[in-house]
Amino acid sequence: MQKSLSERDQAVIWHPYTQMQTAPAPVALVRGEGALLFDEQGNSYLDATSSWWVNIHGHAHPHITAKLAEQAAKLHHSIFAGYTHEPAVTLAEKLLPVLPGQQARVFYSDNGSTAVEVTLKMTIQYWQNKGITRKKILAFKDAYHGDTFGAMSVSARSVFTRAFDDYLFEVTFMDRPAEENIDSLLEDMAILAPDTAAFIFEPLVQGAGGMLMYAPELLDRLLAFCRERGILLIADEIMTGFGRTGTNFAMDQLRTPPDMITLSKGLTGGTMAMGITTCTEEIYDAFLSQDKLKTLFHGHSFTANPLTCAVALASLELFLQPESRANRDRINARHRQFAVELAYQDDVRNVRTMGTILAFEIETGEADGYVNNLAGFLSRFFTERRIMLRPLGNTLYILPPYCITDEQLDEVYQSILDMLKAYQEQWG
């Protein structure tokens, strides 16, 4: 008998964030359409988290597919050192004007973690090239910026970093700003400022940390304080970018612009892997010199891959259409309505929404966090109902593609209410 795709997978694949000894067999997917994915048997799964927050326009979008095929007939790949091509140049020309602040240059890489690595290298070498000693990096507690070593270093010490903590460079971590701590945060930053190279942050929402949200006006006070003291500002918009927080980019809700921005996830509409780091002209100019040692020595074999640039440009075109804006507003409004209903449910707390994100915690009697034992129950429940919701421990969130219909949202909302009823019957 021929083995299923899922069975073949179990013989040869090692999956991310998965304890392979105890994990159930993976669901084998064979195609996608809009907000749906389909398995080997033809069953549909409603993708309520945009497949790790990337498929902002849904699966197999015809415009992106057409642009990918068009580019595939022209140029698949070329070295990007000493050479260039139309998709890379056009994407940079179209993207920079819509970014917050005075972003002037695009550096292409392969994914979100490497985009963070690039911005850290830019930061450290920027000060070295200027002959100024500034070595400290500031970040928030509960931060997550990726899984490569530099990205882990500026991320909170957690289950994601525990095996590697001794190998990570030192970073000063601060609490997220709140009304009760903002003054003390500013006092601490004043002491650190003379030696601080940069402050890296996820604006308004800390994604993998648990969809933790905080106010733009308080972040703005921190950023303005840093700007006055020459600390470079790195906005990690890998998750928050391309409409997730209600504006095109989370930094659009602040007055103080960033010096650098990292992008990935929704950048290509979830079609192909890509990372981008952008910077101001001032950052770029610090690397211009007759001294070759002032060159930014960083690159990837697949830097600015033409196919990936073409689909990112196609995704950007879709994102800037009025229909995309209207869909994001619609999802935001529906989330807010459902949040009111959720707030009255037993065992639910801290219901919060921002843009197309809705999140809440389920009370378990255990500490909140990624390793909370409720995660297994939640994963099984929604997989059995063919709703793709991947919990962060006991934190459940919805972060759908913008093409999701009202009927599909109703299905997601009802599945959550059904889950809460089942949870109360089993553990209440």
Side-chain angles (χ1 to χ4, degrees), residues 319 321-333 402:
F319 175 71
Q321 290 178 359
E323 182 182 0
S324 175
R325 171 80 264 180
N327 278 333
R328 301 197 306 271
D329 290 344
R330 172 179 57 84
I331 294 167
N332 184 6
Y402 303 147

Side-chain angles (χ1 to χ4, degrees), residues 28-339:
L29 302 172
V30 296
R31 69 181 182 92
E33 181 180 349
L36 298 176
L37 290 160
F38 297 85
D39 68 12
E40 294 177 284
Q41 290 75 40
N43 299 310
S44 64
Y45 291 75
L46 180 49
D47 188 354
T49 55
S50 304
S51 287
W52 259 345
W53 323 341
V54 300
N55 289 91
I56 57 176
H57 308 300
H59 299 277
H61 194 286
H63 178 67
I64 296 177
T65 302
K67 292 298 183 180
L68 175 59
E70 181 182 317
Q71 181 58 42
K74 297 178 181 177
L75 177 66
H76 284 197
H77 188 64
S78 71
I79 186 174
F80 205 62
Y83 297 85
T84 192
H85 50 76
E86 179 69 27
V89 175
T90 303
L91 175 58
E93 289 174 339
K94 299 291 187 181
L95 178 62
L96 288 170
V98 303
L99 293 176
Q102 301 298 313
Q103 300 300 296
R105 300 284 171 164
V106 166
F107 193 100
Y108 290 106
S109 60
D110 293 354
N111 54 49
S113 291
T114 53
V116 171
E117 297 289 334
V118 170
T119 200
L120 293 173
K121 283 188 172 183
M122 284 182 180
T123 295
I124 293 166
Q125 193 174 344
Y126 168 84
W127 292 110
Q128 290 179 353
N129 285 359
K130 293 175 71 70
I132 299 173
T133 301
R134 283 196 175 209
K135 295 185 176 181
K136 291 185 182 297
I137 305 290
L138 300 181
F140 280 136
K141 295 176 183 177
D142 298 311
Y144 175 84
H145 295 287
D147 286 340
T148 50
F149 273 83
M152 283 194 296
S153 293
V154 295
S155 299
R157 303 301 179 256
S158 66
V159 295
F160 301 114
T161 68
R162 187 166 300 162
F164 316 105
D165 284 352
D166 290 344
Y167 299 88
L168 307 181
F169 62 75
E170 183 180 350
V171 170
T172 300
F173 292 99
M174 308 180 300
D175 291 324
R176 287 183 307 281
E179 292 290 351
E180 59 270 19
N181 71 1
I182 185 69
D183 291 333
S184 62
L185 287 178
L186 294 175
E187 291 173 3
D188 292 341
M189 292 177 76
I191 297 171
L192 297 167
D195 300 319
T196 298
F199 173 32
I200 184 170
F201 55 94
E202 299 159 273
L204 307 188
V205 184
Q206 292 183 297
M211 294 297 166
L212 306 173
M213 302 176 184
Y214 60 107
E217 57 271 17
L218 296 175
L219 177 59
D220 221 3
R221 288 185 63 183
L222 293 184
L223 300 187
F225 192 86
C226 289
R227 174 57 44 78
E228 292 172 359
R229 287 152 181 80
I231 298 171
L232 298 180
L233 303 176
I234 304 169
D236 181 351
E237 292 252 23
I238 290 167
M239 189 277 283
T240 57
F242 299 100
R244 284 305 186 189
T245 64
T247 47
N248 284 353
F249 297 89
M251 290 300 293
D252 289 331
Q253 301 180 42
L254 290 93
R255 293 173 297 177
T256 307
D259 297 289
M260 289 172 275
I261 300 174
T262 59
L263 300 169
S264 190
K265 293 195 181 293
L267 173 62
T268 67
T271 307
M272 301 174 76
M274 184 184 223
I276 277 180
T277 303
T278 66
C279 69
T280 62
E281 202 72 48
E282 179 184 357
I283 301 294
Y284 175 77
D285 286 347
F287 291 81
L288 302 181
S289 175
Q290 295 297 315
D291 182 356
K292 291 188 177 180
L293 292 178
K294 292 191 174 182
T295 302
L296 178 63
F297 287 103
H298 188 95
H300 304 266
S301 299
F302 285 94
T303 294
N305 173 262
L307 298 173
T308 312
C309 289
V311 298
L313 185 58
S315 178
L316 181 62
E317 290 168 350
L318 291 172
F319 175 71
L320 294 176
Q321 290 178 359
E323 182 182 0
S324 175
R325 171 80 264 180
N327 278 333
R328 301 197 306 271
D329 290 344
R330 172 179 57 84
I331 294 167
N332 184 6
R334 294 298 312 281
H335 278 356
R336 290 181 180 277
Q337 292 172 358
F338 183 57

